[in-house]
Amino acid sequence: MAELWDPWQISEGAFPTKGTSSEKLRFLLNYAILAPSNHNAQPWLFRIVSDGIELYADRTRALPVVDPEDRELTIGCGAALFNLRMAFRNFGYEGVVQFFPDASKPDLLARICFGGEKGATAEEHALFKSIAQRRTNRMPFQTQPIQESLLTELETCATKEGASFQVVLGEENRNRLADLIAEADRTQMSDGHFRRELAAWIHPNRTSNHDGTPGYAIGQGSLASYLGPLVVRTFDMGKGQAARDRQLANGSPVMAALWTENDTPGAWLSAGQAMMRVLLRARVDNVWASFLNQPIEVPELRIRVRDLLGKQGFPQLVLRMGYSQDVKPTPRRTPGEVLMRERLR
Ligand SMILES: Cc1cc2nc3c(=O)[nH]c(=O)nc-3n(C[C@H](O)[C@H](O)[C@H](O)COP(=O)(O)O)c2cc1C
């Protein structure tokens, strides 16, 4: 049965202050599920334990063609964890995190427990409030530049989470990055397996699915959104996609990459938390972002992104940032749908 409840309408005032630990933890999950994930696959599961929440990678939602190592899957889980951390802090809990707490369970990525009582800082409150204000905004951005001071803060946000945020500077480097994005679009779209995987997660605008990407999120009207999955599966539209993405990249006030020193599950989890901190901090100042990750998903091109950044590390994400109108949020599974215990009943 279709859910009437919209997860994006979550209200702080509904926190069950007098409820049991379990009721409180379940409420906090509402914020984790608003995190972004590639194709909106929402590759996470949660288990409520006595005084905290365990976060599991849900590899049944993996994207083996575009993300064969579950790198982006883990980044998405890292983003959900960051939202949870801010939710714990917002409601006055320390939120103590253990990463990979059980070596025999590689899917158990983290456990977050209440810890002591601890009021949130102004920064944590602001980041928390941005959780429901964030969407991936693929619309063209206005030409208005982003202030240097905010960009410096975004660098600090990534560093705090163990990653690096680097703005791509200079016309030549920006053009090189746009070329890599366009080349990656052509490579990916020419691969029937890639298109089939993508098509499985694209849905008509009036979808009742709680996951995947409705056509409106990529700017499609109703009719185009009905035909979208069939068209994507059937035709190689790499050239058109490349031209559109090149235009989006060149027209964005900021193009940036997020990178880490290592390329391990731990680094991907850090990258996800860093990404979320950057995206939420940007929203505090009304700045939107979307992803142009394609060159990082094609191994030969990922090396060229690294060369362009001039760093020894591993690029994890390419982001474009700027000012725009709000866009409609994409669907989410409810806490009940992402709780492990309830699924096993
Ligand atoms: C690791 C990761 C990779 C992503 N890659 C892309 C991408 O290459 N292109 C794109 O348009 N969106 C990309 N996205 C954005 C997702 O499609 C988006 O988060 C998802 O559809 C949910 O929508 P929302 O962010 O508006 O909540 C990516 C998101 C994550 C977390």
Side-chain angles (χ1 to χ4, degrees):
M1 203 178 85
E3 285 254 357
L4 293 175
W5 178 69
D6 174 3
W8 295 93
Q9 297 302 320
I10 181 71
S11 149
E12 247 183 279
F15 182 69
T17 316
K18 299 206 165 89
T20 61
S21 288
S22 170
E23 284 163 349
K24 288 178 181 165
L25 292 165
R26 194 186 163 111
F27 180 86
L28 298 179
L29 275 186
N30 282 291
Y31 295 95
I33 62 172
L34 298 182
S37 57
N38 202 5
H39 293 358
N40 200 20
Q42 303 167 42
W44 43 65
L45 281 174
F46 302 90
R47 187 194 291 273
I48 292 184
V49 290
S50 62
D51 64 342
I53 299 177
E54 291 183 340
L55 163 65
Y56 290 81
D58 182 353
R59 299 191 204 274
T60 66
R61 293 174 166 266
L63 305 169
V65 180
V66 71
D67 184 30
E69 292 181 299
D70 290 353
R71 183 183 62 83
E72 293 185 321
L73 179 151
T74 312
I75 291 177
C77 289
L81 176 62
F82 187 79
N83 280 5
L84 260 186
R85 283 172 47 202
M86 290 306 107
F88 271 72
R89 302 290 302 109
N90 186 68
F91 292 101
Y93 302 103
E94 195 179 349
V96 179
V97 182
Q98 285 172 280
F99 296 101
F100 301 98
D102 184 341
S104 70
K105 291 185 184 169
D107 293 348
L108 173 53
L109 304 182
R111 184 182 294 137
I112 175 164
C113 296
F114 283 124
E117 284 179 21
K118 192 174 172 195
T121 62
E123 185 198 8
E124 287 163 341
H125 267 307
L127 294 175
F128 170 81
K129 284 200 181 300
S130 290
I131 293 175
Q133 309 301 322
R134 184 213 60 82
R135 298 105 181 63
T136 297
N137 192 324
R138 299 179 181 83
M139 298 299 123
F141 293 148
Q142 294 157 18
T143 50
Q144 183 185 345
I146 297 178
Q147 291 214 328
E148 279 297 321
S149 56
L150 175 59
L151 296 175
T152 307
E153 279 200 47
L154 298 183
E155 287 170 14
T156 309
C157 284
T159 312
K160 276 184 181 168
E161 301 298 330
S164 299
F165 174 86
Q166 185 175 336
V167 176
V168 176
L169 296 170
E171 264 328 285
E172 195 190 323
N173 278 340
R174 283 178 54 107
N175 279 331
R176 276 171 66 198
L177 182 57
D179 285 346
L180 291 174
I181 293 165
E183 189 175 339
D185 277 330
R186 289 191 297 268
T187 305
Q188 291 184 320
M189 285 299 200
S190 68
D191 175 357
H193 295 103
F194 173 87
R195 295 205 309 272
R196 194 164 61 190
E197 183 176 86
L198 177 61
W201 290 97
I202 297 179
H203 302 310
N205 285 354
R206 294 175 128 220
T207 181
S208 58
N209 280 54
H210 290 187
D211 55 15
T213 313
Y216 62 74
I218 45 176
Q220 290 179 337
S222 294
L223 181 63
S225 80
Y226 270 101
L227 299 174
L230 174 73
V231 171
V232 166
R233 204 166 39 240
T234 316
F235 303 107
D236 172 1
M237 295 175 308
K239 258 186 162 174
Q241 187 70 42
R244 274 194 301 279
D245 284 343
R246 185 192 292 279
Q247 213 171 5
L248 278 181
N250 284 335
S252 299
V254 164
M255 289 297 296
L258 199 131
W259 60 273
T260 50
E261 279 178 14
N262 300 305
D263 205 27
T264 56
W268 303 334
L269 207 52
S270 297
Q273 292 172 90
M275 169 193 81
M276 202 66 224
R277 191 168 202 126
V278 164
L279 296 178
L280 295 180
R281 179 62 191 85
R283 286 304 297 133
V284 172
D285 283 12
N286 210 23
V287 168
W288 294 103
S290 76
F291 300 78
L292 287 169
N293 258 353
Q294 298 86 319
I296 298 187
E297 295 163 346
V298 178
E300 306 81 73
L301 301 182
R302 190 180 184 197
I303 296 168
R304 285 163 61 190
V305 175
R306 182 179 65 182
D307 293 346
L308 188 152
L309 296 174
K311 294 289 188 313
Q312 282 307 307
F314 296 87
Q316 304 291 354
L317 298 164
V318 172
L319 296 169
R320 58 185 277 272
M321 298 185 127
Y323 296 90
S324 181
Q325 303 291 319
D326 195 353
V327 289
K328 209 172 143 182
T330 55
R332 285 298 187 278
R333 290 183 298 156
T334 61
E337 292 172 294
V338 297
L339 268 174
M340 260 177 139
R341 214 169 359 144
E342 303 200 1
R343 281 165 59 103
L344 295 175
R345 257 186 207 150

